């Protein structure tokens, strides 16, 4: 059962535009992570949000965790071609002594000049 | 440090053939994971290991086996490959309850 839905699935924008990606869950997670994946590579962690309502900024990227810790958003200001990639959210939960990540469906972003 | 490495990068199999994917990490991480990535489905956990000699099933374990004989290596085996196992496979490693570091992936096609 897919627990994390991302929208939109695809996004093609021009350099300088703003965009928001949404990650919605049917479950509560102890924290939520955002990854970026480039072609031919594995996902790379961008940020972890832990507290409901938390907002984190990473240069032009702003991440928000919903108050109920079931949804999150990623906002990119003034997108650049280097932002192109697959963005994945992932819910983090501990299972005994192990950690488990449940990944979202992904948003593929293309930024053109 | 090489981080997490995966061998091979690409492989084409015929239905019924077997193969082993190798993952190696040089970060002394206790935990290792195998995921598969399919279009529109994100990454799904196949098996994971919390230490040398221990393995556990993830979300989609059927058709796969794993072994963790050495702390730095995690092997994923397909005993009898099926077209449904065509996917990109990623290995990851981490300290307990910490950030997972991913390898570059193995693209497998089963004909």
């Amino acid at each position: 059962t897919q627990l994390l839905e991302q929208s939109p699935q695809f996004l093609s924008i021009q350099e300088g535009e703003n965009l928001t990606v949404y990650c919605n869950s049917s479950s509560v997670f102890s924290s939520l992570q955002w990854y970026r994946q480039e072609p031919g590579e594995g996902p790379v962690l961008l940020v972890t949000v832990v507290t409901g309502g938390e907002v984190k900024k990473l240069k032009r990227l702003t991440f928000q965790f919903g108050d109920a810790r079931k949804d999150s958003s990623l906002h990119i200001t003034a997108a650049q071609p280097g932002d192109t990639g697959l963005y994945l959210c992932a819910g983090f939960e501990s299972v005994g002594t192990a950690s488990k990540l449940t990944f979202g469906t992904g948003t593929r972003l293309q930024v053109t000049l | 440090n090489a981080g997490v490495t995966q061998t091979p990068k690409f492989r084409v199999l015929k239905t019924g053939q077997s193969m082993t994917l190798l993952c190696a990490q040089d970060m002394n991480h206790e935990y290792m994971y195998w995921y598969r990535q399919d279009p529109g489905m994100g990454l799904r956990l196949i098996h994971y290991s919390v230490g040398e000699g221990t393995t556990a099933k993830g979300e989609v374990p059927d058709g796969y086996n794993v072994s963790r004989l050495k702390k730095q290596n995690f092997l994923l085996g397909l005993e009898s490959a099926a077209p449904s196992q065509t996917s990109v496979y990623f290995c990851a490693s981490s300290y307990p309850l910490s950030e997972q570091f991913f390898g570059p992936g193995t693209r497998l096609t089963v004909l």
Side-chain angles (χ1 to χ4, degrees):
Chain A
T1 304
Q2 186 67 52
L3 297 178
L4 283 165
E5 293 286 341
Q6 287 183 236
S7 62
Q9 274 192 306
F10 303 97
L11 197 53
S12 182
I13 62 173
Q14 291 190 319
E15 183 180 17
E17 291 185 30
N18 301 332
L19 68 115
T20 302
V21 176
Y22 298 94
C23 173
N24 294 302
S25 169
S26 57
S27 300
V28 175
F29 292 101
S30 59
S31 64
L32 197 133
Q33 300 180 341
W34 284 92
Y35 290 80
R36 185 169 76 198
Q37 184 180 15
E38 300 191 16
E41 299 181 9
V44 175
L45 180 66
L46 295 173
V47 77
T48 301
V49 285
V50 180
T51 308
E54 182 177 4
V55 177
K56 278 192 175 179
K57 291 193 174 184
L58 186 66
K59 297 183 180 178
R60 295 175 293 100
L61 279 61
T62 302
F63 305 85
Q64 185 163 7
F65 202 12
D67 291 339
R69 289 164 46 222
K70 295 175 68 174
D71 54 83
S72 182
S73 64
L74 158 62
H75 182 79
I76 302 179
T77 303
Q80 298 178 1
D83 296 326
T84 294
L86 178 67
Y87 289 82
L88 296 160
C89 64
F92 181 95
E93 52 190 337
S94 56
V95 181
T97 57
S99 59
K100 181 184 173 187
L101 282 176
T102 300
F103 280 87
T105 48
T107 295
R108 191 166 295 281
L109 171 65
Q110 182 170 23
V111 183
T112 56
L113 293 170
Chain B
N1 288 349
V4 180
T5 57
Q6 293 184 232
T7 310
K9 280 189 171 298
F10 304 94
R11 186 71 186 270
V12 178
L13 291 178
K14 293 181 179 179
T15 297
Q17 287 185 317
S18 63
M19 77 163 295
T20 300
L21 281 67
L22 171 65
C23 175
Q25 54 94 6
D26 61 1
M27 295 175 281
N28 201 34
H29 286 163
E30 287 293 329
Y31 293 0
M32 297 187 75
Y33 314 81
W34 275 108
Y35 294 88
R36 61 177 288 172
Q37 184 174 34
D38 302 292
M41 302 190 74
L43 282 82
R44 293 179 292 169
L45 183 64
I46 304 171
H47 286 280
Y48 64 97
S49 168
V50 298
E52 184 178 323
T54 69
T55 63
K57 293 180 180 180
E59 182 184 354
V60 287
D62 294 344
Y64 305 95
N65 57 75
V66 288
S67 63
R68 183 101 180 265
L69 299 180
K70 294 182 178 181
K71 185 177 183 179
Q72 64 267 35
N73 295 337
F74 196 27
L75 279 62
L76 177 70
L78 285 74
E79 290 187 347
S80 179
S84 61
Q85 294 177 304
T86 293
S87 188
V88 182
Y89 292 85
F90 287 97
C91 176
S93 69
S94 76
Y95 290 117
L97 305 180
S98 295
E99 176 185 357
Q100 294 185 20
F101 293 85
F102 288 82
T106 294
R107 185 174 294 274
L108 175 67
T109 301
V110 183
L111 302 175

